[in-house]
Amino acid sequence: MNTEPMAATTTAPPYPTAAGPRNLLAWLTLERLAYGLALLLAGALRLVDLGQHPMAPAEAAQAWSALSQVRGADALPLPGTSPLLLSLQYLGFLLAGASEFWARAFPALAGTLLVLLPYGLRRALGRPAALAAAFLLAISTYLVFWSRSGTGESFAVLGALGLLLCVDGYCREGVRPWAAWGAAALAVLLMSAPAGYAMLLAMAPLALLLLRHRTVCPLPGPATQGALLRAGLILVATLLLGSTALLLVPQGLAALADLPVAFLRQFVEPGGYSLTSLLLQLVLEETFLLVVGLAGLVLGLRRGDPLSRGLGLWLGIGLLLLLRPGRSPADGVVVALPLALLGGQALAAYAGRLRGLADQGWEALALATGGVALLGFTAIWLADYAASPQQAGDRAFLIYAGLGLGLSVALFLLAGLWFGRRVTTTVGIAVLLLALLLPSLRASWEMGHNDDGLRWGSLLSTTGATDGPAIPEYLQQLARQSTPYGGDLFDLPVALVVAPGTAPDPLLRWYLRDADVREIPGAGPDSGERVIVARPTDVVALGEGYAGRSYRIAQSWAPTALQSPALARWLIFGHYGVPQSDQRAVIWVRQPAP
């Protein structure tokens, strides 16, 4: 009888196990699922209909700089061009063709990925606060607008938050691997836009505060020196490759060198925006973020939290930068980011207060329902007042709105006597936050999806007009009607009139990008050109054989001298009537001889 122990054998299961799905389900926690929802929300606000609204002059200057490099031009990028976006647009235009979508795709992608970065700040902010900050970053009007704009401000926000994450990680865990990632984030910040240097200046005190309170103090040694050396090499390599499209566009180095000059130039050259208008813009467009951000700052200062103190300094410096002559709406991203991080802390604290109402849930629900109903009643009558066709507005609508507001106050006063102060104040804050949140969401949506020429949907005083996209459509029609050109817009000769000593308007040049454009200093009766494009300011002496069409390609407007109900109509609907000024282009076409 064989008494030797039998050897253990292992055989592969006949079917695949479910370890993969189980591991995925174990990884996909409710917290990560919530971040996924924030990512979807941010993507919907930033990517839907991205290429539909007209190009603004600043976007056209950036996009034309990139398209010129694709076509082999030796000219340097225009001043203020983002070198990082120049490289990305160059690659996008080279592979997929020049379009409004590809001009804005990379800033929109950066703004979408931004909402994932608070996940790395969970230990600094707290898990609920970091998650709330992610949603605030997703819906911020300023961040949505600049993410949907073909300029570099979105990269400045991404680089700044990434750098903050790396500084916090370094303070907690040491040099590796945060030095390398911090170098990459710093490079993105330096290649983004002039606002990137403003962001770096504003966040410097916060970084110093975090470094002062760090829990890990790496000792100098070969490992630390090696990590810092690698970080330096990563910084230089990222700046070099990121600004030149992997060395394909050496002119990007000129744009990189121009960014700090452009930032310093803002301290001496006026930017055309008043301090009052920018502060009013911040209050109206970011009301919800401003309220919860300031509340979070107060809570953080009471706790003596270094991160909150640093974010408060960041916010203060960002507001002080509005005092310089070259202030612009792009400075809004400098204050929006710390407001979102502070606001996350305030919302997390308020969520804890809501959980304390579990024993009075029905009372709180009844009070919230009544408050929301009266809020809707008031909003409807205010909207009717603003939409009133009467010159002075129908004051009856205003009276009804005031009645709804008075009933709301009376409801909460009675609830305070009946339910107690704790329930009343908590529910009252919820109704107030809802009243502030809904206009902010509407503003975030309209800033990126506004195609109405009589509705203001931009943070900029000068934006693209709805006539602009009609220019290439009309030229394509001319190409189809001209049999010698075979209906191809690339073969349609177009003479672009350029005033002597000036460069062609980037916005107009962008709309003519698909035609065979030849720049000429002027045109007269004997020019012999069939299609001539000029601005009305450029005097064109043409004979009777030409017919012209005028297109508004840009328009300017500011809320000055508005009175009721025009002021209410602008505050509620964004309607402003007619532009205060516009920029036009005229397409002259030689008519065939009879």
Side-chain angles (χ1 to χ4, degrees), residues 509-562:
R509 194 64 183 85
W510 171 258
Y511 285 126
L512 301 176
R513 64 188 181 276
D514 291 335
D516 182 15
V517 178
R518 182 171 65 90
E519 299 175 8
I520 59 176
D526 57 348
S527 61
E529 306 289 347
R530 180 174 180 268
V531 182
I532 299 175
V533 181
R535 293 178 298 183
T537 54
D538 300 326
V539 178
V540 181
L542 296 175
E544 297 181 356
Y546 284 89
R549 289 191 180 186
S550 177
Y551 294 88
R552 187 170 67 220
I553 60 175
Q555 58 192 19
S556 301
W557 180 85
T560 56
L562 285 180

Side-chain angles (χ1 to χ4, degrees), residues 155-156 158-166 179-191 234-235 238:
F155 296 107
L158 182 67
L161 188 53
L163 185 59
L164 174 59
L165 190 154
C166 293
W181 286 109
L186 178 60
V188 170
L189 192 62
L190 297 178
M191 292 187 295
I234 290 174
L235 174 64
T238 306

Side-chain angles (χ1 to χ4, degrees), residues 136 142 184 337 390 427 455 554 586:
L136 290 176
Y142 275 94
L337 182 54
Q390 300 182 20
V427 175
R455 179 174 294 181
V586 182

Side-chain angles (χ1 to χ4, degrees), residues 268-281:
V268 294
E269 296 182 2
Y273 292 89
S274 67
L275 176 62
T276 303
S277 65
L278 292 183
L279 291 178
L280 178 64
Q281 191 179 76

Side-chain angles (χ1 to χ4, degrees), residues 466-482 485 487-490 492-494 508 511-512 514-515 530-534 545-553 585-592:
T466 53
D467 287 354
I471 291 179
E473 296 176 3
Y474 179 55
L475 293 177
Q476 183 65 60
Q477 179 183 351
L478 292 177
R480 288 194 299 265
Q481 295 173 352
S482 305
Y485 307 122
D488 192 349
L489 184 56
F490 284 97
L492 177 66
V494 174
L508 183 56
Y511 285 126
L512 301 176
D514 291 335
R530 180 174 180 268
V531 182
I532 299 175
V533 181
Y546 284 89
R549 289 191 180 186
S550 177
Y551 294 88
R552 187 170 67 220
I553 60 175
V586 182
I587 301 179
W588 299 93
V589 181
R590 182 187 292 276
Q591 302 301 302

Side-chain angles (χ1 to χ4, degrees), residues 128-148:
L131 180 59
F135 278 94
L136 290 176
L137 292 173
I139 66 173
S140 167
T141 302
Y142 275 94
L143 300 184
V144 170
F145 176 82
W146 290 112
S147 295
R148 293 180 64 89

Side-chain angles (χ1 to χ4, degrees), residues 102 129 132 180 208 244 261 286 289 292 301 366 396 403-404 474 486 511:
W102 285 109
L208 293 176
T244 61
V261 178
E286 288 285 21
L289 186 63
V292 297
L301 293 179
L403 177 62
Y474 179 55
Y511 285 126

